[in-house]
Amino acid sequence: MKRLFVLPFLALVLSGCFKEFNGINDENELFAKLSRGNGTWEVTKVEKWNALDADPVITTTTPDSSFFYFYLRSKIVFGSVIDLKYGEYYDNNNLIEEATVSAQKERIVFEGNTVGSGTVYTVEKNGLTSLIWLHMESDQATRYYLEKCNCEIPSNPSNETGG
Amino acid sequence: MKTLATVLFFVVAGHSVLAQNIYGSLTYGAMGYQCDYTDLQTSYSSYLESMEPVLANNNLYFTDVDDNFSNLGLTGALTFQVGMGQNGYSLVFTAMSTKTAQTRDVRWSNGFGRSFVWKETRRETLFDFGFYGTKRFDFYGTFGVNWNWTRMVSYYIYPDESRTLTHEFANNGVYKHYTVGLSFGAGVRYRFKNFVALEARYLFSKIGFGIINKEEDFGLSDAAIVKHPDYTYFPQDYTEPISVTSGNELVPYFNRQSVTLSAIFYINRDRISKKRDK
């Protein structure tokens, strides 16, 4: 009887030990975490400054309704259904950015349509329920403070008229 | 899954044959290692060499340069062991995981710079075959497979100390490569009191075997769409042409020697039954 308890316990311990064997070098190792729950991360604070200044003046804002949303989107390609990893950025409930994403521990990429294009966020903090991302555009730095949330995703207007 | 099945086999077998000693532990030990990072060091040196004329052309110079990557280090080792001993012999399955990281920064006179962060996650799955040398000591030889996830993160540093991976700089990137190899070594367990033994293990982890070798393998790469294809691979030599077809890529075949100290728990069924009989 004792063995019946020992074996599942060991299985649990082992599955924990080897969990990281899966996807350590995956291009999207962070996506599972980002898309957990309903996949939304609220932007709680935004800092902006000029990165050329050694001692920059930082402008801080607290957005009202701004969040990132990560999810799997299924598409039919040559007759097969494939799942694409998607990311969206909403500011004031308006969709600002939408793209396939590559999410790694150090870098989140909202991919562009051509080679060399896209938006890169450098991951500065990778906490369990909080993240800090840095985006650099020319010399202008923007730091996003994100918290895991259950934000409501704006619904798409329906094409159905009901008539 | 295979690993899990193997381990469970040993547990069940250990119980069913009523092995004299049953080993099992999940411990965090200390590891000292020496790793052959020659290629990594050459790459770093070549970066400095390649930047000298670039800086000179812009009336700039190095203000702060970190020493090269170190071959020596200390780290923690998460170790799981399970096995059995019978009639003077022992067979133990060991899974060991270590993580190491080294950062090297280079700064120049206008406040900009570059940061190289080298990270490794190494896993060893080993079989320890041993015998009871004395009442308190077990000696064993060990062999198995090593699995290594390596990555180089190359950041651009701004004057305000921001470190960024923006694609505006071609050398920025998260370059990764996965390698496997064979490991072998030896160790000793000192059963200093009932149920607890101290273990010292020497291990030589060689990367690659047979057709998996440095000459045939690819190097550290970053396949993100934001990167220019010519900069897909992390350069072995920054002073040489860099392109996706040049073969100038760092292949992380870094052999490692290590000594790990950890604790292991065991049950001596003979001793327990003798105590019961008394």
Side-chain angles (χ1 to χ4, degrees):
Chain A
M1 190 64 193
K2 226 187 252 179
R3 288 174 205 175
L4 287 176
F5 290 103
V6 171
L7 289 179
F9 172 74
L10 279 171
L12 280 174
V13 170
L14 281 171
S15 62
C17 276
F18 290 92
K19 197 172 75 176
E20 278 197 80
F21 265 117
N22 296 322
I24 280 184
N25 263 4
D26 189 347
E27 289 297 323
N28 264 299
E29 72 225 6
L30 206 60
F31 187 81
K33 173 180 171 175
L34 294 177
S35 59
R36 204 177 53 213
N38 78 341
T40 54
W41 293 79
E42 186 182 9
V43 180
T44 54
K45 190 167 77 172
V46 178
E47 293 175 345
K48 293 189 179 195
W49 70 93
N50 186 340
L52 292 181
D53 298 335
D55 193 12
V57 176
I58 299 174
T59 310
T60 306
T61 54
T62 311
D64 258 353
S65 178
S66 176
F67 64 91
F68 285 88
Y69 171 39
F70 297 93
Y71 63 101
L72 284 174
R73 184 188 288 185
S74 298
K75 279 194 170 178
I76 298 176
V77 178
F78 298 119
S80 302
V81 178
I82 58 165
D83 289 333
L84 297 172
K85 295 172 174 71
Y86 257 80
E88 294 177 354
Y89 174 44
Y90 289 88
D91 191 18
N92 245 340
N93 284 333
N94 294 317
L95 181 61
I96 304 298
E97 189 165 21
E98 174 192 38
T100 54
V101 294
S102 157
Q104 295 165 308
K105 283 178 186 166
E106 298 86 0
R107 178 185 65 188
I108 311 292
V109 179
F110 279 66
E111 297 171 333
N113 293 322
T114 56
V115 172
S117 66
T119 309
V120 176
Y121 297 91
T122 306
V123 178
E124 292 188 324
K125 182 192 166 192
N126 181 22
L128 202 61
T129 57
S130 63
L131 306 165
I132 300 177
W133 293 355
L134 177 69
H135 174 59
M136 198 70 75
E137 190 82 49
S138 297
D139 303 320
Q140 295 303 307
T142 308
R143 182 174 282 136
Y144 296 89
Y145 291 81
L146 310 178
E147 297 280 342
K148 183 80 187 119
C149 69
N150 198 17
C151 300
E152 194 178 331
I153 300 136
S155 58
N156 293 325
S158 173
N159 291 326
E160 294 275 23
T161 61
Chain B
M1 199 59 205
K2 275 183 190 169
T3 313
L4 183 65
T6 310
V7 171
L8 289 179
F9 166 78
F10 276 107
V11 173
V12 174
H15 276 270
S16 60
V17 300
L18 297 176
Q20 216 169 14
N21 282 345
I22 294 173
Y23 297 93
S25 66
L26 179 63
T27 56
Y28 200 70
M31 173 190 279
Y33 65 86
Q34 182 186 34
C35 201
D36 181 8
Y37 285 132
T38 306
D39 287 350
L40 182 61
Q41 291 161 342
T42 307
S43 177
Y44 181 70
S45 302
S46 74
Y47 176 74
L48 300 177
E49 194 183 332
S50 73
M51 282 303 293
E52 271 174 11
V54 175
L55 296 180
N57 286 341
N58 292 289
N59 293 321
L60 298 169
Y61 52 89
F62 289 118
T63 52
D64 194 11
V65 176
D66 282 351
D67 291 340
N68 214 322
F69 288 91
S70 171
N71 285 330
L72 300 171
L74 277 173
T75 186
L78 183 65
T79 308
F80 175 81
Q81 294 179 305
V82 64
M84 56 190 178
Q86 181 77 37
N87 299 329
Y89 295 96
S90 65
L91 175 57
V92 176
F93 169 82
T94 299
M96 191 160 63
S97 175
T98 57
K99 285 186 177 186
T100 59
Q102 294 189 48
T103 300
R104 295 295 181 269
D105 289 354
V106 180
R107 305 297 291 265
W108 38 93
S109 49
N110 60 356
F112 287 90
R114 180 158 293 283
S115 177
F116 297 97
V117 182
W118 173 249
K119 297 180 185 177
E120 284 182 6
T121 298
R122 294 193 180 219
R123 300 275 160 81
E124 307 272 358
T125 46
L126 306 162
F127 287 100
D128 307 335
F129 292 98
F131 60 90
Y132 308 156
T134 66
K135 190 181 171 189
R136 292 208 176 271
F137 284 97
D138 291 356
F139 300 96
Y140 62 86
T142 183
F143 78 93
V145 181
N146 59 70
W147 324 75
N148 315 293
W149 291 263
T150 55
R151 58 170 63 194
M152 171 65 86
V153 190
S154 180
Y155 295 92
Y156 199 67
I157 307 176
Y158 275 77
D160 70 327
E161 302 294 331
S162 296
R163 285 157 199 261
T164 172
L165 291 169
T166 177
H167 60 293
E168 290 172 38
F169 300 95
N171 286 328
N172 284 1
V174 182
Y175 302 87
K176 296 171 290 186
H177 193 60
Y178 168 71
T179 58
V180 294
L182 297 178
S183 303
F184 47 91
V188 59
R189 280 183 213 107
Y190 173 52
R191 285 176 273 115
F192 74 102
K193 68 186 282 192
N194 209 9
F195 307 131
V196 183
L198 293 178
E199 184 178 87
R201 173 191 301 269
Y202 166 80
L203 202 61
F204 178 69
S205 307
K206 185 179 178 350
I207 313 295
F209 55 91
I211 56 166
I212 302 171
N213 57 64
K214 189 179 170 186
E215 285 67 36
E216 301 288 330
D217 206 350
F218 295 103
L220 290 160
S221 66
D222 180 356
I225 196 169
V226 288
K227 285 203 54 92
H228 187 286
D230 272 351
Y231 291 87
T232 296
Y233 290 106
F234 186 79
Q236 168 65 67
D237 187 345
Y238 278 91
T239 62
E240 293 294 319
I242 296 166
S243 77
V244 75
T245 55
S246 66
N248 181 12
E249 59 200 65
L250 179 61
V251 186
Y253 274 49
F254 302 143
N255 298 334
R256 182 171 82 173
Q257 298 183 77
S258 62
V259 174
T260 310
L261 301 174
S262 58
I264 179 169
F265 300 98
Y266 73 99
I267 298 169
N268 189 325
R269 297 179 77 122
D270 269 0
R271 195 173 291 178
I272 290 171
S273 57
K274 276 176 192 167
K275 273 188 182 174
R276 270 190 200 146
D277 293 343
K278 281 178 189 174

